[in-house]
């Protein structure tokens, strides 16, 4: 009776095949994502200008970056924009979901209407809202024609208010998605819990406040994570809607990075701003992904 | 998922219901209005927009803005219309979607049915790559594409979109195959099917829904991308979104709003069409991309 | 050396050993059942025979060939899964012949083999349907057909009946038994259901916590369980385990047990070797059917003892009536004829068949020999 060497070649090949199949994807991700991240981090410590160069300057780019009013303005803008965007999207999405969940006639027609902007490019959204908000031909002009002569809506041209137009367009694009997430969460709640609460005498308001909304916690968390990372990555919409202006009123870190790297030829500073963006997103995404992947083991 | 029969039975009063319907209808108006305005103004002569009311229906119906946007409008320096860029996008999207979906399916298959040590960590690394701010890879990617001779070309963009699309496509297939009974794979092994035979004969024939979800997601994402297109393929190789932005932002001459609107709708048309035809799968993809479990 | 040899096989995941030195030798044509509670290692062992899991140490040989490291499809085995594992995208016919196709069997031969199996299992009319259109029992037959068509050396069954409802399960059990008697194939069958184990097997391996607790013929396992675990796992209702003390009386070892009113009853053992345990505590094991009403006692036994005790609870089960009493501080179940007239609280003369009684060492929990 033979003992060793029984493992035939094909069986051994089968053993390695899964790893072989996975390796091209893995290699691509390792090089193009993690390798590139390391490279950019390295660049952020160098004196790169128009092209990468490898003179080590330590933290100089970071200290320059934080002294630039352009950068701090971008961060402030991002703070305002992200806060309002996340809050309004969540509130509107939750309201739409709860209302749609009340045995609404025509729900099947309303849902796709709320959600379709998600299928559009931010460039299209930006183009549509750019003209709709333009005082010359948009909503303000229309109101004047309809006889409301004193109506003013020139936020998009106003340094103090332009950032809010960004919020409006972004909310328009993604709140339907948040609605869908909450609606799925609502439909996943055990209806017997709802019945029990009603038998316990909870009013509708209390039913939602005390029972339903706490049960939607996972949906809140997912919505927050998705919206936060979208906010930090926002680039296309700014370009299409305001181009960062008027002045720097709607500059965000994403547009800052792009202009410093590719038009102002300050690659070292651009790289350091990208690193800060990555760190911010990682702080939100890594714990979330970690928890998600752990749960399912 | 969302079309499931409603089970909740919250009782609401008359006044409350009136308020709810009013809120829902006003919201619907909010979502529809911008697109409605784009549509109506894209078939008006320019004079009717600048001199008239944006909200009113066209007095003179014309398809000229559409023709101009498609074939003769000034995009960048050339009066080519959006047509060549539309085909750029098609040439970019089709292979990128195809490749990333195939790779995602294989990865999902390996990660669920041929598990090995550290596979969850590897998947985590792939998944995180979906969420990085792409600014962090712009500089080295531009260099590499230059070195590979792919800068400014459609092939370069295909490569970029495959690389950054793998995370999501792997996520979709992994979650789908995780629910696929492992006993079937074992039965096939005993029956003598090997790695690729099991994939082709057992897994793929049951993967219809998730393939649709993945293709739609990748298609929408890649079609709508602007950042990579603007960074690596401006000029004649640009995709549709970049061309649209060039059309709208071009500062020369009179602003032809009607042409801009027509162009915007042209850029939105493919993804919108997919949404209308297969909205159910689109929503499934969105959900799977956010709430994993 | 047997037809299927499991020699010193262990399985570990990292440092955790889940299967400890299993040694089983199965003869050709035997029906071996691996039985035990979930997590006992029985499915792991089956998967190792199939080649679906690696062997950490030891050997598995089928028909004289060591198969460690051989691909599952080259071990000449077939397997029926708990979920049936029918390929949802293929018809019943394609499901049955897929294995032959993968092994390069030409189409005419495949068709012929499929027809034979379909006839044997009476599933001819289902061949063009998809698994989704079949009932549970039909899927079960198709899964068996897929295994049979390969004509393997060894059939492996992984809890094949656990997804069926109670009535169908009994029917399919009978069919599997008939099939085995007709085809005389070697079968290894995993189940957690001790009745399946008893009815189907020619030999049983009772497993618990990664150890084979006992390997033997069903009657051997039932009558002389090796330890407390086997005794209580096999049989329903479970064997009564009563704390008792060995006392010598008339030169014969007796079990002294406490009845409900606190008095002692003396039950004479049939095994003389228990004299060595004089004065020590033991656990007395008596199956419910060995405690009856006097008329229902086994007439062939010459060691029927009368035991007076109060009746606790009566549970008429149709064919039998189960009567509970307190013995040695434990609930003890007696199995009586259905028409026996007893009521709770009454004092009753139980007839205990001490020929069937066994004793366990309370320390090691092993049965006290021989």
């Amino acid at each position: 009776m033979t003992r060793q060497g029984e493992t035939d070649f094909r069986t051994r090949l089968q053993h390695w095949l899964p790893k072989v199949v996975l390796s091209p994807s893995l290699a691509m991700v390792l090089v193009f994502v993690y390798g590139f991240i390391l490279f950019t981090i390295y660049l952020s410590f160098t004196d790169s200008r128009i092209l990468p160069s490898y003179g080590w300057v330590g933290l100089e780019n970071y200290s320059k970056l934080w002294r630039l009013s352009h950068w701090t303005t971008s961060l402030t803008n991002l703070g305002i924009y992200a806060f309002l965007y996340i809050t309004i999207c969540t509130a509107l999405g939750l309201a739409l979901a709860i209302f749609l969940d009340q045995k609404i006639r025509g729900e099947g027609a309303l849902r796709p209407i709320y959600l379709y902007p998600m299928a559009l490019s931010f460039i299209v959204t930006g183009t549509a809202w750019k003209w709709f908000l333009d005082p010359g031909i948009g909503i303000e002009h229309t109101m004047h024609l309809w006889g409301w002569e004193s109506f003013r809506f020139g936020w998009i041209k106003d340094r103090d208010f332009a950032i809010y137009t960004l919020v409006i367009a972004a909310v328009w694009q993604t709140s339907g998605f948040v609605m869908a997430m909450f609606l799925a969460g609502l439909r996943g709640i055990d209806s017997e819990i709802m019945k029990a609460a009603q038998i316990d005498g909870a009013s509708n308001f209390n039913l939602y406040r005390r029972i339903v909304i706490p049960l939607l916690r996972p949906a809140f968390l997912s919505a927050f994570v998705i919206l936060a990372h979208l906010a930090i990555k926002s680039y296309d919409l700014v370009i299409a809607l305001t181009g960062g202006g008027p002045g720097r009123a709607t500059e965000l870190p994403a547009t800052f990075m792009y202009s410093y790297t590719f038009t102002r030829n300050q690659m070292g500073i651009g790289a350091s701003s990208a690193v800060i963006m990555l760190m911010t997103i990682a702080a939100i995404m890594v714990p979330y992904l970690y928890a998600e992947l752990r749960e399912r083991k | 998922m969302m079309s499931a029969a409603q089970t909740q039975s919250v009782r609401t009063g008359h006044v409350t219901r009136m308020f709810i319907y009013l809120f829902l209808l006003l919201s619907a108006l909010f979502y529809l209005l911008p697109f409605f305005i784009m549509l109506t103004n894209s078939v008006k002569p320019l004079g009717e927009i600048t001199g008239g009311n944006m909200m009113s229906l066209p007095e003179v119906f014309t398809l000229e803005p559409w023709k101009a946007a498609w074939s003769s409008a000034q995009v960048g320096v050339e009066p080519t219309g959006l047509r060549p860029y539309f085909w750029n996008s098609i040439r970019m999207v089709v292979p990128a979607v195809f490749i990333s979906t195939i790779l995602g399916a294989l990865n999902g298959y390996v990660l669920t049915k041929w598990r090995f040590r550290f596979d969850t960590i590897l998947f985590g690394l792939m998944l995180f790559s979906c969420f990085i701010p792409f600014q962090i890879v712009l500089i080295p990617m531009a260099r590499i594409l230059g070195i590979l001779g792919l800068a400014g070309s459609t092939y370069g963009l295909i490569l970029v979109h495959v690389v950054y699309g793998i995370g999501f496509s792997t996520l979709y297939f992994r979650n789908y195959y995780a629910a696929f009974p492992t006993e079937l794979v074992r039965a096939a092994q005993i029956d003598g099917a090997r790695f690729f035979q099991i994939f082709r004969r057992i897994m793929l024939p049951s993967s219809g829904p998730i393939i649709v979800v993945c293709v739609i997601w990748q298609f929408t994402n890649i079609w709508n991308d602007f950042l990579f297109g603007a960074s690596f393929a401006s000029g004649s190789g640009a995709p549709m979104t970049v061309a649209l932005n060039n059309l709208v932002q071009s500062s020369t001459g009179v602003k032809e709003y009607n042409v801009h609107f027509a162009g915007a709708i042209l850029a939105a048309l493919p993804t919108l069409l997919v949404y209308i035809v297969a909205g159910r799968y689109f929503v499934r993809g969105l959900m799977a991309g956010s709430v994993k479990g | 050396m047997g037809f299927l040899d499991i020699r010193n096989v262990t399985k570990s995941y990292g440092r955790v050993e889940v299967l400890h030195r299993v040694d089983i030798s199965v003869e050709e044509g035997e029906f071996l059942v691996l039985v035990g509670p979930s997590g006992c290692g029985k499915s792991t062992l089956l998967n190792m025979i199939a080649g679906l899991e690696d062997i950490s140490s030891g050997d598995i040989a089928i028909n004289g060939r060591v198969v460690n490291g051989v691909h599952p499809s080259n071990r000449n085995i077939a397997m029926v899964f708990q979920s049936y594992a029918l390929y949802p995208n293929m018809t019943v016919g394609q499901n049955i012949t897929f294995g032959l196709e993968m092994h390069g069997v030409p189409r005419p031969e495949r068709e012929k083999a499929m027809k034979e199996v379909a006839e044997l299992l009476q599933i001819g009319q289902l061949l063009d349907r998809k698994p989704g259109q079949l009932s549970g029992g039909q899927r079960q037959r198709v899964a068996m057909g897929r295994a049979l068509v390969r004509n393997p050396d060894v059939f492996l069954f992984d809890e094949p009946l656990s997804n069926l409802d109670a009535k169908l399960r009994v029917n399919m059990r009978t069919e599997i038994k008939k099939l085995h008697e007709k085809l005389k194939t070697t079968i290894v069958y995993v189940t957690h259901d001790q009745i399946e184990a008893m009815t189907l097997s020619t030999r049983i391996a009772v497993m618990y916590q990664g150890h084979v607790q006992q390997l033997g013929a069903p009657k051997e396992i039932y009558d002389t369980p090796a330890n407390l675990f086997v005794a209580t796992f096999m049989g329903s209702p479970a064997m009564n385990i009563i704390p008792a003390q060995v006392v010598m009386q008339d030169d014969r070892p007796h079990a002294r047990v406490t009845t409900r009113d606190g008095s002692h009853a003396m039950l004479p053992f049939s095994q003389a070797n228990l004299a060595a345990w004089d004065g020590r505590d033991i656990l007395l094991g008596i199956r419910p059917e060995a405690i009856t009403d006097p008329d229902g006692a086994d007439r062939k036994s010459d060691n029927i003892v009368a035991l007076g005790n109060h009746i606790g609870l009566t549970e008429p089960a149709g064919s039998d009536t189960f009567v509970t009493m307190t013995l040695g501080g434990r609930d003890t179940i007696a199995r009586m004829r259905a028409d026996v007239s007893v009521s709770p609280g009454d004092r009753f003369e139980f007839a205990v068949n001490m020929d069937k009684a066994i004793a366990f060492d309370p320390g090691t929990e092993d049965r006290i020999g021989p």
Side-chain angles (χ1 to χ4, degrees):
Chain A
M1 205 155 51
T2 48
R3 180 63 192 81
Q4 280 306 321
E6 281 277 1
T7 313
D8 54 289
F9 173 72
R10 277 185 73 195
T11 306
R12 262 179 293 157
L13 181 69
Q14 290 292 311
H15 200 73
W16 282 103
L17 211 44
K19 285 159 198 159
V20 171
V21 165
L22 195 64
S23 51
S25 304
L26 201 60
M28 279 202 274
V29 169
L30 286 180
V31 173
F32 288 100
V33 178
Y34 296 96
F36 282 11
I37 288 175
L38 292 179
F39 184 75
T40 306
I41 292 175
Y42 178 71
L43 281 185
S44 73
F45 294 110
T46 66
D47 57 357
S48 303
R49 290 286 189 139
I50 188 163
L51 287 170
S53 77
Y54 304 102
W56 186 265
V57 295
L59 287 169
E60 196 184 306
N61 286 323
Y62 288 91
S63 61
K64 267 191 199 155
L65 179 68
W66 286 100
R67 283 199 306 270
L68 282 172
S69 69
H70 194 153
W71 171 248
T72 45
T73 309
S74 305
L75 278 188
T76 317
N77 287 341
L78 177 64
I80 299 170
Y81 166 71
F83 174 77
L84 289 174
Y85 169 62
I86 295 171
T87 316
I88 298 174
C89 264
T90 308
L92 184 58
L94 182 64
L96 288 174
I98 288 177
F99 289 163
L100 266 189
D101 201 33
Q102 309 300 323
K103 296 206 165 106
I104 292 303
R105 236 176 268 160
E107 188 208 323
L110 288 171
R111 247 190 303 119
I113 291 176
Y114 298 155
L115 202 53
Y116 86 92
M118 200 63 195
L120 304 181
S121 156
F122 272 115
I123 300 294
V124 173
T125 302
T127 306
W129 281 93
K130 183 189 176 88
W131 303 134
F132 184 64
L133 296 175
D134 188 293
I137 62 158
I139 182 86
E140 183 180 309
H141 182 65
T142 304
M143 288 300 171
H144 292 178
L145 289 176
W146 283 350
W148 188 355
E149 292 288 344
S150 61
F151 183 87
R152 288 287 172 270
F153 197 80
W155 285 6
I156 199 164
K157 303 273 186 207
D158 187 324
R159 279 167 178 272
D160 295 329
F161 289 96
I163 190 76
Y164 304 116
T165 62
L166 216 53
V167 175
I168 295 174
V171 165
W172 181 81
Q173 171 124 356
T174 35
S175 49
F177 170 43
V178 181
M179 178 276 300
M181 284 171 65
F182 280 124
L183 197 54
L186 285 171
R187 299 275 152 92
I189 292 176
D190 183 359
S191 66
E192 291 195 347
I193 293 179
M194 308 274 278
K195 283 178 199 153
Q198 283 174 300
I199 288 168
D200 280 341
S203 65
N204 282 344
F205 177 72
N206 274 323
L207 178 68
Y208 277 95
R209 194 173 64 92
R210 299 280 299 278
I211 312 286
V212 175
I213 291 178
L215 282 173
L216 288 178
R217 248 178 73 118
F220 273 101
L221 183 64
S222 301
F224 172 78
V225 168
I226 297 295
L227 293 173
H229 112 274
L230 282 178
I232 298 170
K233 284 164 84 168
S234 287
Y235 174 76
D236 317 5
L237 184 62
V238 183
I239 296 299
L241 189 67
T242 62
R248 291 172 189 167
T250 53
E251 286 282 3
L252 294 181
T255 58
F256 172 93
M257 183 275 167
Y258 200 90
S259 63
Y260 264 73
T261 308
F262 295 112
T263 49
R264 293 178 185 230
N265 302 328
Q266 295 275 359
M267 194 172 274
I269 291 178
S272 58
S273 68
V275 171
I276 289 171
M277 287 175 67
L278 176 75
M279 296 302 168
T280 318
I281 284 188
I284 298 167
M285 291 309 300
V286 170
Y288 177 73
L289 293 179
Y290 182 74
E292 288 269 345
L293 290 176
R294 245 171 81 96
E295 266 169 33
R296 293 196 292 142
K297 270 207 163 169
Chain B
M1 161 182 34
M2 314 227 356
S3 53
Q6 299 184 13
T7 49
Q8 321 302 24
S9 52
V10 180
R11 259 179 261 266
T12 39
H14 259 308
V15 183
T16 323
R17 280 195 91 72
M18 288 286 286
F19 170 76
I20 288 174
Y21 272 103
L22 192 68
F23 183 87
L24 290 176
L25 287 174
L26 283 176
S27 302
L29 200 65
F30 167 67
Y31 289 106
L32 282 176
L33 203 55
F35 199 80
F36 168 80
I37 288 166
M38 279 209 292
L39 201 59
T40 49
N41 288 286
S42 72
V43 290
K44 285 180 191 172
L46 187 58
E48 216 181 295
I49 301 177
T50 44
N53 188 339
M54 170 183 75
M55 298 280 195
S56 64
L57 292 171
E59 281 161 32
V60 181
F61 178 87
T62 168
L63 283 177
E64 281 311 314
W66 283 72
K67 284 182 195 150
W70 180 243
S71 56
S72 66
Q74 189 92 11
V75 178
V77 283
E78 302 280 338
T80 56
L82 291 170
R83 183 169 51 189
Y85 306 99
F86 187 89
W87 295 118
N88 281 349
S89 272
I90 295 279
R91 274 199 302 275
M92 165 187 80
V93 161
V94 173
V97 167
F98 182 76
I99 297 169
S100 62
T101 304
I102 289 282
L103 286 177
L106 283 168
N107 294 345
Y109 170 54
V110 169
L111 288 171
T112 53
K113 301 301 171 209
W114 302 90
R115 303 198 54 176
F116 50 90
R117 265 156 77 84
F118 308 124
D119 58 354
T120 310
I121 295 176
L122 293 185
F123 174 62
L125 285 177
M126 286 182 157
L127 193 54
F128 180 67
S129 73
C130 307
F131 298 102
I132 58 167
F134 293 119
Q135 279 76 12
I136 195 84
V137 295
L138 283 184
I139 302 168
M141 187 54 107
R143 298 277 294 167
I144 292 284
L145 290 179
I147 291 167
L148 295 176
L150 295 174
S153 80
T154 307
Y155 298 109
L157 281 184
I158 292 172
L159 174 71
V160 172
H161 286 301
V162 167
V163 168
Y164 301 106
I166 287 177
F168 265 119
S169 61
T170 302
L171 167 71
Y172 288 140
F173 282 96
R174 180 183 184 264
N175 286 356
Y176 187 79
Y177 288 152
F180 189 88
T182 302
E183 278 197 347
L184 281 171
V185 176
R186 302 191 142 190
Q189 272 183 285
I190 288 178
D191 272 344
R194 300 305 169 115
F195 181 82
F196 282 112
Q197 281 172 318
I198 295 173
F199 181 65
R200 203 168 49 81
R201 300 283 300 270
I202 312 292
M203 309 295 285
L204 268 193
S206 304
S207 309
I210 201 65
I211 293 176
V212 176
V213 165
C214 183
V215 165
I216 289 179
W217 173 268
Q218 297 288 0
F219 176 81
T220 310
N221 256 10
I222 298 173
W223 183 275
N224 286 343
D225 161 72
F226 176 76
L227 181 63
F228 288 136
S231 308
F232 307 134
S234 45
S236 65
M240 190 68 172
T241 45
V242 176
L244 171 67
N245 192 52
N246 289 344
L247 169 74
V248 174
Q249 309 288 356
S250 66
S251 45
T252 49
V254 199
K255 283 212 182 299
E256 296 181 292
Y257 300 113
N258 50 358
V259 176
H260 297 175
F261 288 140
I265 297 174
L266 279 173
L269 216 49
T271 52
L272 215 49
L273 220 58
V274 166
Y275 177 71
I276 291 165
V277 173
R280 202 159 53 91
Y281 292 99
F282 178 79
V283 177
R284 266 179 65 174
L286 279 179
M287 307 311 285
S290 56
V291 194
K292 286 161 284 291
Chain C
M1 193 169 63
F3 189 71
L4 164 66
D5 277 320
I6 300 163
R7 288 192 293 257
N8 250 328
V9 164
T10 61
K11 175 73 186 176
S12 335
Y13 295 107
R15 292 222 184 105
V16 189
E17 196 169 279
V18 294
L19 212 55
H20 320 279
R21 293 188 162 269
V22 175
D23 251 308
I24 301 174
S25 178
V26 185
E27 297 304 321
E28 186 158 14
E30 255 200 292
F31 196 130
L32 173 75
V33 172
L34 306 176
V35 66
S38 58
C40 70
K42 57 188 192 296
S43 290
T44 308
L45 183 57
L46 193 77
N47 284 336
M48 283 157 79
I49 300 172
L52 297 170
E53 293 204 41
D54 293 334
I55 299 165
S56 302
S57 74
D59 284 327
I60 292 178
I62 297 171
N63 204 358
R65 178 175 67 127
V66 175
V67 293
N68 300 18
V70 175
H71 192 268
S73 66
N74 297 337
R75 296 184 174 207
N76 207 16
I77 48 141
M79 190 155 168
V80 177
F81 291 88
Q82 181 172 12
S83 67
Y84 318 132
L86 300 178
Y87 310 126
N89 53 304
M90 300 182 195
T91 65
V92 166
Q94 288 166 333
N95 261 284
I96 291 175
T97 54
F98 184 69
L100 297 177
E101 188 191 333
M102 290 294 116
H103 282 84
V105 176
R107 182 180 285 270
E109 278 178 54
R110 299 202 306 249
E111 299 281 324
K112 188 163 160 283
M114 178 181 79
K115 292 234 166 62
E116 280 170 22
V117 166
E119 195 172 334
L120 180 69
L121 294 170
Q122 295 155 14
I123 49 174
Q125 75 285 4
L126 305 177
L127 290 175
D128 292 326
R129 298 214 199 143
K130 291 275 178 75
Q133 301 165 295
L134 304 182
S135 70
Q138 289 170 329
R139 283 180 211 187
Q140 172 67 54
R141 279 165 190 278
V142 175
M144 287 191 356
R146 186 170 65 181
L148 283 170
V149 78
R150 299 270 309 278
N151 196 18
D153 286 338
V154 182
F155 282 98
L156 307 175
F157 286 83
D158 189 5
E159 308 221 14
L161 303 182
S162 58
N163 281 354
L164 298 176
D165 62 53
K167 194 164 173 243
L168 204 52
R169 197 179 311 163
V170 175
N171 291 342
M172 289 307 295
R173 203 169 72 200
T174 317
E175 286 209 33
I176 291 176
K177 179 131 188 165
K178 275 189 199 157
L179 213 57
H180 177 244
E181 270 165 16
K182 190 165 162 188
L183 302 172
K184 301 277 184 241
T185 46
T186 313
I187 293 178
V188 181
Y189 185 110
V190 161
T191 181
H192 62 267
D193 180 351
Q194 45 91 19
I195 297 176
E196 266 174 44
M198 291 296 295
T199 50
L200 286 171
S201 66
T202 57
R203 265 200 309 162
I204 296 177
V206 183
M207 299 184 64
Y208 183 54
Q209 292 184 338
H211 287 282
V212 175
Q213 302 287 329
Q214 190 173 6
L215 175 66
K219 189 170 160 50
E220 191 186 333
I221 302 262
Y222 191 76
D223 288 343
T224 52
N227 54 38
L228 267 185
F229 174 79
V230 177
T232 48
F233 187 76
M234 302 298 289
S236 174
M239 180 183 268
N240 296 303
I241 303 295
I242 305 151
Q245 199 179 27
V246 178
V247 174
M248 293 303 285
Q249 202 172 50
D250 310 328
D251 278 342
R252 194 174 179 185
H254 285 63
R256 191 173 71 168
V257 295
T258 316
T259 58
R260 196 173 103 181
D261 53 20
S263 61
H264 294 302
M266 299 294 278
L267 304 169
F269 277 112
S270 298
Q271 300 102 306
N273 64 308
L274 283 166
W277 284 68
D278 184 17
R280 290 161 68 186
D281 287 334
I282 54 151
L283 291 169
L284 174 65
I286 309 178
R287 294 221 175 261
E289 63 269 24
I291 309 176
T292 57
D293 52 302
D295 292 341
D298 183 358
R299 307 214 175 280
K300 280 179 285 181
S301 168
D302 49 13
N303 194 5
I304 305 282
V305 187
L307 171 72
N309 203 355
H310 290 284
I311 290 185
L313 201 67
T314 64
E315 295 168 279
S319 57
D320 305 287
T321 297
F322 293 104
V323 176
T324 313
M325 61 169 150
T326 307
L327 211 55
R330 305 253 183 110
D331 276 345
T332 303
I333 296 174
R335 182 176 199 155
M336 306 203 177
R337 287 176 298 124
D339 58 355
V340 74
S341 80
V342 288
S343 38
D346 285 358
R347 201 175 158 77
F348 187 77
E349 289 289 312
F350 292 89
V352 183
N353 182 358
M354 284 301 285
D355 263 357
K356 295 279 184 188
I358 48 176
F360 296 93
D361 180 335
T364 63
E365 302 198 337
D366 286 338
R367 185 170 55 85
I368 300 168

